Amino acid sequence: MTLRVYSRFITLEGGEGAGKSTVLSALRDVLSATGTDVVSTREPGGTPLAEQIRGLLLDTHHEPPTADTELLLVFAARAQHVRETIVPALERGAWVISDRFTDASYAYQGAARGGDIEFIAELERRVVAIAPGMTLLLDVPVDVGLQRARGRGAADRIEGERDDFFERVRAGYLERARLQPQRFRVIDATQPAAVVAAQAVAHLREWLERNP
């Protein structure tokens, strides 16, 4: 089964503290200013049920899920997100910007957890079946990103992982970008937030010229 690529579907990826929320807001503002219908969303989450699964995944107060449980929960939330939020918006002609999508599973559950990449790819084909036209990868060194993330308050279950876990996440993302240069745009997220947002907007404007 081949993934259906939607040019109006843009995803933001990166490790903890990369600044995805700021960039998402900037991209949404640019698209909205043109009168375009824009849906901004996130993963895990994006629907009421998927948000409940997000809570299970990030909660630090219950037994930690096994690696397989985590992977399947993420894809369960993603399946709901795709069917109930993303595809309906795209089919009516809206643009969709998502804070994380399937690339996150390759980085977190694959590269960092040591999950079977082929199994993740099979889940992507059978459960997700769509792909973004453009992905912005906000790349930041682990120590910088974690300092930002942990400065926001109590760490969730993922944020509480060891630094070497996040080094593998970063390496996984960069490998995805290396393998799919036609889709990925890598941005140095150590720069000031305004600069990162401006570079992301520049990529968006270029994408809009090619995909009106």
Side-chain angles (χ1 to χ4, degrees), residues 31-144:
L31 288 170
S32 297
T34 67
T36 301
D37 183 6
V38 185
V39 173
S40 57
T41 187
R42 69 174 183 177
E43 287 208 345
T47 79
L49 178 56
E51 289 291 336
Q52 290 185 51
I53 298 173
R54 178 188 179 92
L56 289 174
L57 285 163
L58 300 183
D59 190 358
T60 60
H61 298 101
H62 58 63
E63 62 178 301
T66 67
D68 286 341
T69 301
E70 179 180 282
L71 174 64
L72 293 172
L73 282 173
V74 167
F75 270 94
R78 184 168 294 132
Q80 191 74 6
H81 189 205
V82 167
R83 301 299 181 272
E84 296 298 322
T85 299
I86 297 175
V87 168
L90 292 169
E91 291 296 326
R92 71 170 185 261
W95 285 76
V96 176
I97 309 171
S98 184
D99 180 343
R100 298 196 194 284
F101 196 58
T102 311
D103 291 304
S105 287
Y106 285 96
Y108 281 80
Q109 286 78 48
R113 296 267 186 237
D116 184 338
I117 297 298
E118 286 304 315
F119 182 50
I120 294 173
E122 184 70 9
L123 287 171
E124 181 181 24
R125 287 190 294 269
R126 292 183 175 273
V127 176
V128 181
I130 68 169
M134 181 173 70
T135 297
L136 301 180
L137 173 57
L138 307 184
D139 181 50
V140 64
V142 169
D143 57 341
V144 175

